[in-house]
Amino acid sequence: MRVILPILAVIITFALTSALVLMVGASPLEAYYHFLVEPLSSRVSAVEVLVKATPLLLTGAAVAVAFSGGFWNIGAEGQFLAGAVAATAIGLNMHSLPPAVAVPLTLIGGVAAGMAWVATPALMKTRLGIDEVVTTLLLNSVALLAVSALLNGPWRDPISQWPQSPDIAAAAILPKLIPRSRLHLGFLLAILVVAALGFVLSRTAFGVRLRAAGMEPDAARFAGIQVGRVMLTTALLSGGIAGLAGAIEVAGIHYHLIEAISGGHGYTGIVIATLSGLNPWAVVPAALFIGLIDTGSQTVSRALGVPVYLGEVIQATLLLVTLAVLLLQHYRIRWERRAA
Amino acid sequence: MTTDEVPAVRMRGIWKRFGTVVANRGVDFDLRPGEIHALLGENGAGKSTLMRILYGLYRADAGTIAVNGAPATIRSPHDAIAHGIGMVTQHFALVSPMTVTENVILGCDQRIRLDLKAAQQQVSAAADRVGLSIDPRALVKDLSVGQRQRVEILKALYRQARVLILDEPTAVLVPQEVEQLFATLRRLRQEGVSVVFISHKLHEVMQITDRVTVMRAGEVVGAAETSRVTPTDLARMMVGRPTIGVIKPRTISAAQPQAALQLEGVSARNNKGLPALRNLSLEVRAGEILGVAGVAGNGQTELAQVIEGVRPVTSGRLLVCGQDITNAGPRRAMDAGVGRIPEDRHESVVGAMSVAYNMALEHLDEFTRSGLIDRRRLRQHAERLIGQYQIRARPDDPIRTLSGGNMQKVILARVLDRNPRVIVVSQPTRGLDVAATEYVRGKLVEQRQKGAAILLISEDLDEILELSDRIAVIYEGEIRQILDAGEATLEALGLLMAGLRR
Ligand SMILES: Nc1ncnc2c1ncn2[C@@H]1O[C@H](COP(=O)(O)OP(=O)(O)OP(=O)(O)O)[C@@H](O)[C@H]1O
Ligand SMILES: [Mg+2]
């Protein structure tokens, strides 16, 4: 059942978007081939799917754990950016250190920054009862503006004058998993984090408390669980993971900070968490799936010469349909005639 | 039954499975026009399931429904309402910041512009007609449970219900409210409305209903005119064997001299911030049951919550075996030896989690090995309690799928199994069938014999009189008087509960 759902979603999307593809003069079948199959047919582009999935695994996990614990963190985007900024700041100053020290320091800096970024809304929530949806969301814009200020101020590239930071020290750069590809150690780390999270949530007392507090705070409180503290821990865990994603994106892919460093990975994390039903294990296929259609939308426009936005429209449709199909699986659909 | 009479509702061969559990197996059910019809059965017999199918909340796997002789397809409550069927479930579906009128007309007024004045008049006219006294302008959040139930009934009647299903309506009512409800039901019967009345209280069934259908393990085992059967017959039909006449030995007092639970001048506020407990003092000795009697809303809920550790006190002290746990929170209360069985069972379980987890939730640390959940222990613990307390459930079932009575048993089991030194228990047998009620009362007495100090809060005066060694009457947040069980009579308690001093 679980396996046929994505296939069903693809078929429905195909039906919905064929007209659009025909309108721009391409064959729908061909478009779909490039969209979903082509990326997996060559090693290079298959690896690229994994590269694309790396930050999404982490932001997806960050949001999933927050939502399980009843902390509605809409701010993974901001925490991602905070992590990226911290990693850049640390990475720029690692010239005299060996990689074995520089890499962990850079990543830990990202985690800490993500936690710090979520700490304010988390405390406002647990101490004052201020709705975290609003505060975490607002802090996303603040983070983006801060990045922009840094890139147009102290970190502006002295040579090109582009709003982009200088490159971080080579020692702080994540080693490659496959030589001459973009796949780096961060992918492995992301998988490890997701697995650890899945284990913690399902097998530890902390995980049970976290889920109980998330699902039914009153009952959890009655059972002696300190709901405020659990929620604070949940928020920090979530922010830390999102911050790690930002650090990994800097130290693994770009090596410097740019404004578009995230480009919405934090928000996509919400989609992935929803697709996964807040189950960390299911974050893996969900992130890979989004990584695939991300890669696919580029392949389509390149191969068929259709506008890039067509790929994006198909991608968005596919996402919506997948969500709808996942929700509808809880219903049994039956056909029957109304009694006369 | 006169064969030419067309039943208001006829259900035939209803089957309903939940996974491996068969909740209804080929149930036939007839409801005549203008009758009050009792649906009886032990916890988990399938009563709620059958009625939820009739109201469109569940779909039957097989079977047919006819309303007034015509086949009916009921796929949702919307369809049920269209067929003139209304239901009041135990969990009310009201919008609490809205007024009574708004709640009643919500969703059935199709016009764009609302004439609230006219609606208010209609609602209050409908209320008067059936003797439901209620202020149409009151906000639902300010109403008591009994008043909310009236709003639910009004809602059904406003939608022209000719069939009214009430799932354990009296479980949440105080005796006076029960009388009022019965008066309303009699008026409805005169108007030709048919009522399905689910209750575990046989005396209510004998008093108000015309016919009765008994279910056991998902099947109907009999239907009869109420006047032709005795409570003993009904009890026998429910359990499938003659019930042993439960003669409760009046156990000798086990009370020891020292107080296990002490409240000294405790004051606390209710949810609206108003004083609910006023300088209340109280002692429960090890080995005794102290019953708390009172009209609902006189501070019982807050008293329980203060001891449970979930409501702060504004002044006074709370001691358990000499240890001060004033405002120390639920964790410390439990560690000091307080076992807690709250009034609202939904308040103390996590619905989506399994029975096994819910049984361990209060003491998770005892089910872990170096931070990891010991699943085998968790499971064995659950299996043992399920067996011991005869709970109809499996360890892995999400607890929200349990029938009301079985959920209550889970909560009782997880507390009593630990032999706590102090037990604070509210409405322990609410929603339990006859056998389970006896069983639970027996368990409480057993705990008392083992030396537990038990504070028993109940709206069921018979329960208080049957179990207590001493009875405290609470009125407006104060203990008015404490009587020895021997000197307490229903009349004396009634006067004190009404605020009159002797
Ligand atoms: N949604 C559900 N999912 C799974 N099992 C269910 C569900 N609803 C009911 N059941 C099971 O069906 C059986 C019958 O339950 P039902 O609620 O109809 O009993 P009941 O007669 O109303 O009992 P009670 O007197 O305790 O309320 C029980 O074993 C219960 O666990
Ligand atoms: Mg029931």
Side-chain angles (χ1 to χ4, degrees):
Chain A
M1 189 64 192
R2 287 236 149 223
V3 206
I4 65 166
L5 286 176
I7 299 172
L8 189 67
V10 167
I11 293 170
I12 295 175
T13 310
F14 183 76
L16 287 175
T17 51
S18 303
L20 217 56
V21 179
L22 283 172
M23 247 159 53
V24 297
S27 138
L29 266 178
E30 222 178 318
Y32 262 82
Y33 172 79
H34 289 293
F35 203 64
L36 291 170
V37 185
E38 164 89 20
L40 298 177
S41 63
S42 86
R43 222 184 70 129
V44 176
S45 54
V47 166
E48 193 58 22
V49 170
L50 301 184
V51 173
K52 284 248 155 61
T54 302
L56 301 179
L57 281 165
L58 289 169
T59 54
V63 176
V65 67
F67 285 11
S68 311
F71 184 80
W72 301 99
N73 184 10
I74 312 296
E77 181 78 4
Q79 293 134 30
F80 182 106
L81 292 173
V85 168
T88 310
I90 295 171
L92 287 173
N93 294 298
M94 289 287 123
H95 290 287
S96 54
L97 289 170
V101 180
V103 167
L105 272 182
T106 308
L107 297 184
I108 290 169
V111 172
M115 287 182 169
W117 203 251
V118 81
T120 316
L123 284 170
M124 283 165 82
K125 165 78 175 182
T126 53
R127 292 284 150 82
L128 307 170
I130 295 170
D131 186 12
E132 74 277 20
V133 172
V134 179
T135 49
T136 53
L137 181 64
L138 288 178
L139 279 181
N140 289 346
S141 319
V142 177
L144 193 57
L145 289 171
V147 167
S148 179
L150 280 171
L151 295 182
N152 289 296
W155 280 353
R156 186 195 288 263
D157 193 309
I159 303 153
S160 70
Q161 290 296 312
W162 280 104
Q164 124 179 0
S165 79
D167 275 2
I168 59 173
I173 289 176
L174 294 175
K176 293 275 179 268
L177 288 181
I178 301 176
R180 286 191 310 282
S181 80
R182 299 210 299 161
L183 195 68
H184 53 83
L185 185 65
F187 176 72
L188 217 61
L189 282 176
I191 294 283
L192 279 178
V193 167
V194 172
L197 198 63
F199 184 79
V200 165
L201 284 194
S202 64
R203 300 297 308 277
T204 67
F206 169 74
V208 174
R209 294 199 175 100
L210 184 151
R211 285 184 292 132
M215 288 188 277
E216 238 133 323
D218 286 340
R221 198 167 292 124
F222 184 88
I225 296 169
Q226 291 180 298
V227 174
R229 239 170 62 184
V230 170
M231 185 172 278
L232 194 60
T233 318
T234 305
L236 292 178
L237 195 57
S238 169
I241 296 173
L244 178 65
I248 284 179
E249 203 62 2
V250 168
I253 298 287
H254 296 280
Y255 313 143
H256 52 246
L257 188 64
I258 51 171
E259 261 185 59
I261 187 83
S262 170
H265 289 331
Y267 297 111
T268 311
I270 301 174
V271 175
I272 292 170
T274 311
L275 281 176
S276 76
L278 306 190
N279 173 358
W281 302 111
V283 162
V284 177
L288 289 174
F289 176 61
I290 305 272
L292 172 66
I293 60 179
D294 245 2
T295 318
S297 64
Q298 286 170 5
T299 340
V300 168
S301 52
R302 207 168 44 234
L304 300 184
V306 297
V308 186
Y309 66 76
L310 184 66
E312 283 164 10
V313 169
I314 295 178
Q315 183 183 342
T317 312
L318 186 51
L319 261 177
L320 282 175
V321 172
T322 310
L323 274 174
V325 167
L326 281 179
L327 289 176
L328 284 179
Q329 70 169 317
H330 299 300
Y331 295 82
R332 211 152 20 124
I333 297 171
R334 24 180 164 188
W335 304 105
E336 50 188 73
R337 256 177 283 165
R338 276 227 164 237
Chain B
M1 179 177 179
T2 45
T3 40
D4 54 338
E5 191 183 19
V6 178
V9 169
R10 162 166 288 193
M11 300 176 84
R12 282 291 173 271
I14 302 289
W15 280 83
K16 180 70 186 172
R17 261 195 203 85
F18 295 106
T20 57
V21 177
V22 187
N24 286 163
R25 42 179 89 230
V27 173
D28 295 346
F29 178 73
D30 280 315
L31 182 66
R32 295 180 195 165
E35 73 167 356
I36 303 179
H37 192 130
L39 195 52
L40 266 178
E42 295 187 286
N43 294 129
K47 307 178 294 290
S48 298
T49 303
L50 185 67
M51 288 302 116
R52 287 172 153 258
I53 288 170
L54 180 55
Y55 190 56
L57 289 166
Y58 293 156
R59 295 293 308 278
D61 298 328
T64 58
I65 301 176
V67 177
N68 295 324
T73 314
I74 299 176
R75 272 181 274 221
S76 67
H78 188 258
D79 292 347
I81 291 164
H83 282 101
I85 299 168
M87 178 165 180
V88 180
T89 52
Q90 263 198 277
H91 247 63
F92 302 146
L94 297 173
V95 189
S96 48
M98 288 191 170
T99 66
V100 170
T101 304
E102 285 166 334
N103 267 283
V104 169
I105 61 177
L106 198 68
C108 66
D109 202 318
Q110 304 294 340
R111 281 161 302 168
I112 308 246
R113 251 194 82 237
L114 255 178
D115 187 354
L116 216 54
K117 259 259 165 47
Q120 239 162 43
Q121 274 162 8
Q122 279 175 25
V123 170
S124 87
D128 289 344
R129 187 172 53 109
V130 292
L132 289 167
S133 64
I134 193 125
D135 173 8
R137 278 157 313 196
L139 295 179
V140 165
K141 66 170 193 275
D142 295 334
L143 301 182
S144 72
V145 180
Q147 290 169 321
R148 286 179 199 210
Q149 188 178 71
R150 290 183 209 158
V151 180
E152 284 283 14
I153 295 176
L154 266 183
K155 241 167 86 176
L157 297 180
Y158 190 82
R159 289 163 174 67
Q160 315 293 331
R162 301 297 295 162
V163 171
L164 183 63
I165 306 164
L166 303 173
D167 195 348
E168 298 193 34
T170 57
V172 294
L173 299 183
V174 298
Q176 296 95 311
E177 289 175 322
V178 172
E179 277 314 316
Q180 285 172 7
L181 173 69
F182 284 1
T184 300
L185 296 187
R186 290 195 188 97
R187 288 216 204 174
L188 288 173
R189 173 168 57 190
Q190 270 170 15
E191 293 189 4
V193 175
S194 313
V195 177
V196 179
F197 178 82
I198 301 180
S199 174
H200 290 294
K201 297 180 185 143
L202 292 178
H203 65 92
E204 292 177 354
V205 170
M206 300 308 294
Q207 186 188 341
I208 187 74
T209 68
D210 306 306
R211 279 202 315 145
V212 43
T213 294
V214 179
M215 292 184 72
R216 189 197 320 144
E219 283 174 289
V220 167
V221 290
E225 310 272 327
T226 310
S227 54
R228 302 249 174 98
V229 291
T230 65
T232 330
D233 296 337
L234 293 176
R236 188 169 47 231
M237 281 162 87
M238 282 197 304
V239 293
R241 60 191 139 72
T243 47
I244 328 124
V246 198
I247 313 146
K248 202 181 66 71
R250 185 77 223 170
T251 38
I252 31 143
S253 169
Q256 291 148 29
Q258 74 276 23
L261 173 69
Q262 285 166 279
L263 278 78
E264 294 175 358
V266 166
S267 299
R269 295 178 186 284
N270 64 16
N271 285 343
K272 292 180 198 156
L274 304 172
L277 300 179
R278 306 162 197 263
N279 199 18
L280 181 148
S281 296
L282 176 68
E283 275 190 11
V284 190
R285 293 190 292 249
E288 80 164 343
I289 297 180
L290 178 70
V292 176
V295 175
N298 274 287
Q300 293 95 318
T301 308
E302 290 81 5
L303 174 62
Q305 289 174 340
V306 160
I307 305 170
E308 285 158 6
V310 293
R311 180 174 294 280
V313 308
T314 49
S315 67
R317 292 208 308 159
L318 176 62
L319 299 150
V320 169
C321 302
Q323 192 183 341
D324 191 329
I325 58 158
T326 315
N327 288 340
R331 179 82 268 147
R332 287 264 315 279
M334 278 184 274
D335 291 345
V338 181
R340 307 153 322 137
I341 299 155
E343 179 180 349
D344 178 2
R345 48 187 161 240
H346 295 274
E347 173 187 306
S348 67
V349 298
V350 180
M353 281 192 171
S354 69
V355 169
Y357 271 111
N358 273 290
M359 282 175 162
L361 200 58
E362 293 188 333
H363 299 275
L364 263 187
D365 288 331
E366 293 170 22
F367 296 87
T368 57
R369 242 195 320 228
S370 47
L372 296 190
I373 301 276
D374 185 344
R375 293 189 188 177
R376 233 189 49 211
R377 262 253 288 296
L378 201 72
R379 200 185 172 81
Q380 285 168 349
H381 174 250
E383 277 166 354
R384 183 169 60 77
L385 294 191
I386 285 172
Q388 219 167 315
Y389 286 76
Q390 296 146 29
I391 302 168
R392 276 166 157 263
R394 287 154 304 182
D396 292 331
D397 290 339
I399 198 164
R400 61 152 179 257
T401 66
L402 266 56
S403 82
N406 281 304
M407 198 186 286
Q408 177 76 342
K409 285 189 188 176
V410 169
I411 298 167
L412 282 159
R414 86 172 171 197
V415 170
L416 298 188
D417 182 57
R418 306 180 61 84
N419 296 321
R421 288 193 283 185
V422 169
I423 299 172
V424 49
V425 48
S426 298
Q427 327 297 349
T429 55
R430 178 179 282 179
L432 292 190
D433 62 46
V434 182
T437 297
E438 280 310 322
Y439 181 76
V440 166
R441 290 181 182 169
K443 279 281 169 192
L444 287 177
V445 171
E446 180 189 310
Q447 291 290 325
R448 158 183 175 265
Q449 297 311 107
K450 285 185 187 166
I454 302 178
L455 186 74
L456 167 70
I457 299 172
S458 177
E459 275 157 21
D460 183 344
L461 279 185
D462 292 328
E463 179 161 271
I464 297 252
L465 283 167
E466 182 181 334
L467 293 178
S468 311
D469 298 298
R470 291 188 300 146
I471 300 170
V473 178
I474 191 169
Y475 181 76
E476 296 197 336
E478 293 170 336
I479 299 296
R480 266 300 158 95
Q481 192 157 358
I482 298 186
L483 311 170
D484 276 327
E487 55 171 331
T489 59
L490 270 176
E491 295 75 58
L493 287 178
L495 287 174
L496 285 166
M497 283 165 59
L500 303 168
R501 291 179 190 277
R502 282 204 300 188

